[in-house]
């Protein structure tokens, strides 16, 4: 019993370290032909309840995952094509596809996880098998091409964050192997347009003391509805404060890294009571903001932040997530503004510094921010000149009174003489 627990812990630790890097290959076949093939690395950030709190675990898709032939389908008999990969006791990842003849896309993404699996979900207060579905994944490519996205892409699915990377995927395949023609995702295109010399120069120049990057540039980001209108607006300068084990320096270092707006693309989703903003910088950094609206109080707040970083100097990709945050609180129908620098602590190894921030995750109309609710720090900053002014005025008054009293006294003095 104890040995099996130790073994399970060892296996999980092994997957936690190597599972992310290991790509899994999955194939759906009918007869002798392959109709769906996927090579990918996936990990899931799942939050669940224990008896007195909530916990978040990172679950990688292990390379022991296999295609469940029973529920997977090529879609020849009128069903939708569906790839279902099963792993562990009752966990599954499903991708269903649709096409309009010229393009194909992931129609929905399903994740099923079994909370009775105590090796993955220790102390869960439920033994349910939970299924979450997302229908807005944004993975699509022309027919007869392979969808390629080596960058990591993060999707909010229910309360779960799903991250794919090193992905090559094709459905409605014309042959038995991935088509050589590739359809490259936006994130990969952004990273290839960056000059490739930056990595070599970074490795050749040994920088012993990291220079502080200065105030980050302010970026303008938005998330669009399916009908193309903006549903989330954000303007902010962002700076990541990250601790990680540096390969070149052979020790854990703390680094401040600015987010560069013109290398960063935004995506996300808007739902009635939650909105997600995903910022992807090149192929190495993904930052996910989740806002939650409380419909009884009509207040919203930043409830979750996730950072995925796979920088060249890291020994292993970093994944930092906290889904029980309570930052940037404001009211539905208003935007939240904070010009003062703010530090949002996420986990011990990661915090986010924001500069000149304005966001509105709900009820955006006509592509513009609604009236802003300003953070306390801005209000305090505005108070400072008032307080200083009042203090100065008081000082002037005191001097004046002292002078008048002094004059009166000295007059009196002269008169007695
Ligand atoms: C599959 O391939 C085998 C040998 O290559 C062949 O005998 C069989 O008829 C094929 N089956 C189908 C359904 O095409
Ligand atoms: C955790 O518990 C809270 C209330 O106790 C509930 O609202 C929430 O849905 C639960 N979360 C999950 C993932 O079950
Ligand atoms: C509640 O959680 C704390 C640690 O987070 C633990 O020490 C304590 O025993 C828990 N209480 C119960 C009743 O489970
Ligand atoms: C997702 O796709 C599968 C396969 O087509 C389907 O069975 C399931 O009902 C879909 N779920 C949603 C919520 O659309
Ligand atoms: C969930 O996990 C438990 C314990 O590992 C197992 O007994 C049960 O069969 C699993 N449920 C499903 C649907 O696979
Ligand atoms: C398929 O959808 C794309 C994008 O929505 C569109 O450009 C294309 O014309 C459609 N093709 C057909 C055959 O309907
Ligand atoms: C895809 O390739 C198959 C076989 O090579 C061909 O029959 C089909 O017309 C192609 N479809 C498109 C949309 O190019
Ligand atoms: C949203 O739509 C606007 C205009 O329609 C476009 O400029 C912008 O790039 C879109 N944003 C995203 C993230 O797709
Ligand atoms: C776009 O969709 C949203 C909800 O999805 C809706 O509220 C809005 O009116 C739509 N805008 C247009 C121009 O159709
Ligand atoms: C890294 O540091 C440890 C001890 O701090 C040392 O044992 C190890 O040899 C070092 N590795 C390299 C590659 O320098
Ligand atoms: C990004 O902006 C900076 C300064 O505004 C500029 O120097 C740089 O060339 C831009 N990079 C790209 C890829 O547009
Ligand atoms: C929503 O706000 C109400 C009133 O402030 C509070 O009682 C309730 O617990 C909140 N709900 C959630 C899910 O936070």
């Amino acid at each position: 019993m104890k040995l099996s627990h130790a073994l399970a812990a060892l296996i999980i630790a092994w997957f936690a370290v190597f599972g992310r890097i290991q790509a899994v290959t999955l194939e759906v076949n009918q007869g002798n032909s392959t109709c769906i093939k996927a090579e990918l690395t996936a990990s899931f950030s799942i939050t669940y309840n224990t008896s007195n709190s909530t916990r978040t675990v990172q679950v990688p898709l292990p390379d022991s995952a296999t295609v469940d032939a029973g529920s997977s389908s090529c879609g020849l008999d009128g069903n939708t094509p569906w790839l279902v990969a099963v792993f562990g006791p009752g966990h599954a990842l499903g991708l269903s596809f649709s096409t309009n003849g010229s393009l194909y896309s992931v129609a929905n993404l399903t994740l099923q996880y079994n909370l009775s699996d105590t090796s993955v979900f220790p102390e869960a207060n439920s033994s349910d098998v939970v299924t979450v579905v997302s229908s807005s994944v944004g993975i699509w490519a022309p027919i007869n091409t392979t969808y390629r996205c080596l960058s990591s892409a993060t999707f909010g699915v229910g309360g779960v964050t799903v991250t794919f990377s090193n992905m090559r995927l094709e459905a409605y395949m014309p042959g038995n192997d991935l088509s050589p023609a590739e359809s490259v995702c936006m994130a990969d295109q952004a990273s290839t347009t960056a000059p490739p010399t930056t990595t070599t120069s970074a490795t050749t120049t040994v920088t012993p003391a990291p220079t502080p990057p200065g105030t980050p540039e302010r970026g303008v980001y938005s998330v669009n509805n399916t009908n193309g209108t903006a549903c989330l607006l954000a303007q902010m300068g962002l700076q990541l404060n990250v601790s990680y084990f540096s390969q070149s320096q052979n020790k854990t270092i703390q680094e401040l890294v600015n987010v560069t707006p013109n290398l960063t693309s935004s995506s996300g989703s808007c739902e009635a009571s939650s909105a997600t903003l995903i910022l992807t910088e090149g192929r190495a950094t993904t930052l996910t903001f989740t806002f939650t609206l409380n419909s009884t109080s009509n207040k919203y707040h930043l409830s979750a932040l996730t950072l995925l970083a796979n920088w060249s100097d890291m020994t292993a990709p970093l994944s930092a997530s906290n889904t029980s945050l309570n930052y940037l609180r404001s009211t539905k129908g208003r935007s939240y503004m904070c010009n003062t620098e703010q530090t949002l602590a996420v986990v011990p190894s990661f915090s986010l510094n924001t500069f000149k921030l304005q966001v509105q995750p709900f009820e955006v109309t006509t592509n513009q921010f609604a009236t802003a609710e300003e953070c306390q720090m801005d209000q305090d900053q505005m108070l400072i000149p008032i307080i200083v002014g009042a203090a100065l005025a008081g000082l002037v008054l005191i001097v004046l009174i002292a002078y008048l009293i002094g004059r009166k006294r000295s007059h009196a003095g002269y008169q007695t003489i």
Side-chain angles (χ1 to χ4, degrees):
M1 195 57 189
K2 276 186 179 150
L3 183 68
S4 72
H5 275 176
L7 269 178
L10 205 68
I11 290 168
I12 290 162
W14 189 85
F15 279 137
V17 176
F18 299 102
R20 258 188 268 280
I21 306 154
Q22 215 108 34
V24 180
T25 300
L26 304 162
E27 270 183 45
V28 182
N29 303 306
Q30 186 150 51
N32 290 348
S33 58
T34 305
C35 59
I36 306 172
K37 183 167 178 177
E39 295 171 3
L40 54 86
T41 306
S43 82
F44 318 107
S45 168
I46 302 173
T47 301
Y48 63 98
N49 287 339
T50 60
S51 59
N52 68 5
S53 68
T54 63
R55 245 192 229 195
T56 303
V57 288
Q58 290 291 333
V59 185
L61 181 68
D63 59 3
S64 59
T66 55
V67 169
D68 178 23
S71 39
S72 296
S73 155
C74 277
L76 296 184
D77 35 6
N79 298 326
T80 39
W82 205 13
L83 179 149
V84 180
V86 291
F87 56 102
H91 311 307
L93 170 70
L95 295 171
S96 80
F97 294 88
S98 66
T99 180
N100 71 357
S102 56
L103 302 177
Y104 67 93
S105 61
V106 173
N108 78 34
L109 186 160
T110 315
L111 181 69
Q112 175 186 302
Y113 54 94
N114 182 353
L115 289 171
S116 357
D117 184 355
T118 51
S119 61
V120 176
F121 304 105
E123 294 170 27
N125 70 349
S126 148
S127 53
D128 291 348
V129 175
V130 181
T131 304
V132 289
V133 183
S134 169
S135 55
S136 53
V137 184
I139 294 177
W140 59 270
I143 283 276
N144 292 353
T145 68
T146 298
Y147 175 83
R148 189 199 89 178
C149 204
L150 304 180
S151 311
S152 60
T154 303
F155 309 98
V157 183
V160 177
T161 308
V162 175
T163 304
F164 291 134
S165 57
N166 298 317
M167 183 184 235
R168 280 195 169 78
L169 169 84
E170 189 173 7
Y172 306 97
M173 291 165 68
N176 278 341
D177 213 340
L178 292 174
S179 297
E182 287 187 338
S183 173
V184 179
C185 68
M186 289 297 274
D188 279 10
Q189 290 172 16
S191 60
T192 48
T193 51
T197 46
T198 47
T199 46
T200 47
S201 66
T203 48
T204 47
T205 357
V206 181
T207 43
T211 45
T215 309
E217 216 180 308
R218 194 182 196 203
V220 177
Y221 310 106
S222 66
V223 176
N224 290 345
N225 268 329
T226 42
N227 61 15
T229 54
C231 58
L232 181 154
L233 300 174
Q235 295 191 1
M236 53 200 172
L238 296 172
Q239 187 175 64
L240 313 171
N241 185 343
V242 181
S243 302
Y244 64 92
F245 191 87
S246 158
Q247 217 157 11
S248 60
Q249 297 178 45
N250 192 21
K251 63 171 187 202
T252 299
I253 60 166
Q254 188 180 11
E255 205 173 6
L256 288 175
V257 178
N258 285 348
V259 171
T260 313
N262 59 3
L263 299 176
T264 302
S265 63
S266 61
S267 61
S269 62
C270 300
E271 278 150 39
S273 64
S274 85
T276 307
L277 169 67
I278 301 165
L279 299 180
T280 311
E281 189 179 24
R283 66 174 65 186
T285 311
T286 305
L287 190 59
T288 306
F289 299 76
T290 305
F291 295 89
T292 304
L293 176 71
N294 179 335
S295 50
T296 35
S297 64
N298 272 340
K299 300 273 183 194
Y300 65 82
H301 65 277
L302 176 67
S303 58
L305 259 178
T306 301
L307 171 71
L308 295 152
N310 192 357
W311 301 339
S312 54
D313 195 29
M314 285 179 168
T315 47
L318 174 96
S319 165
S321 177
N322 187 335
T323 56
S324 52
L325 302 176
N326 188 7
Y327 293 127
L328 319 186
R329 292 182 295 276
S330 185
T331 310
K332 184 177 158 191
R334 299 276 182 86
S335 62
Y336 173 91
M337 183 146 102
C338 202
N339 285 312
T340 315
E341 178 183 352
Q342 231 179 334
T343 297
L344 312 181
V346 180
V347 292
S349 63
F350 166 53
S351 59
L352 180 69
N353 299 330
T354 68
F355 300 78
K356 293 203 180 103
L357 173 143
Q358 186 168 14
V359 290
Q360 189 177 343
F362 298 102
E363 298 217 321
V364 173
T365 52
T366 67
N367 233 328
Q368 288 192 334
F369 283 114
T371 316
E373 280 183 2
E374 210 153 347
C375 62
Q376 192 59 48
M377 286 185 291
D378 281 7
Q379 293 174 18
D380 293 349
Q381 295 260 301
M382 298 221 290
L383 273 181
I384 289 172
I386 296 172
I387 291 168
V388 170
L392 277 178
L395 206 65
V396 167
L397 209 67
I398 288 165
V399 169
L400 200 70
I401 289 167
Y403 169 74
L404 288 176
I405 290 173
R407 226 170 72 131
K408 216 176 166 186
R409 280 228 176 115
S410 55
H411 271 288
Y414 280 123
Q415 268 165 15
T416 51
I417 286 173

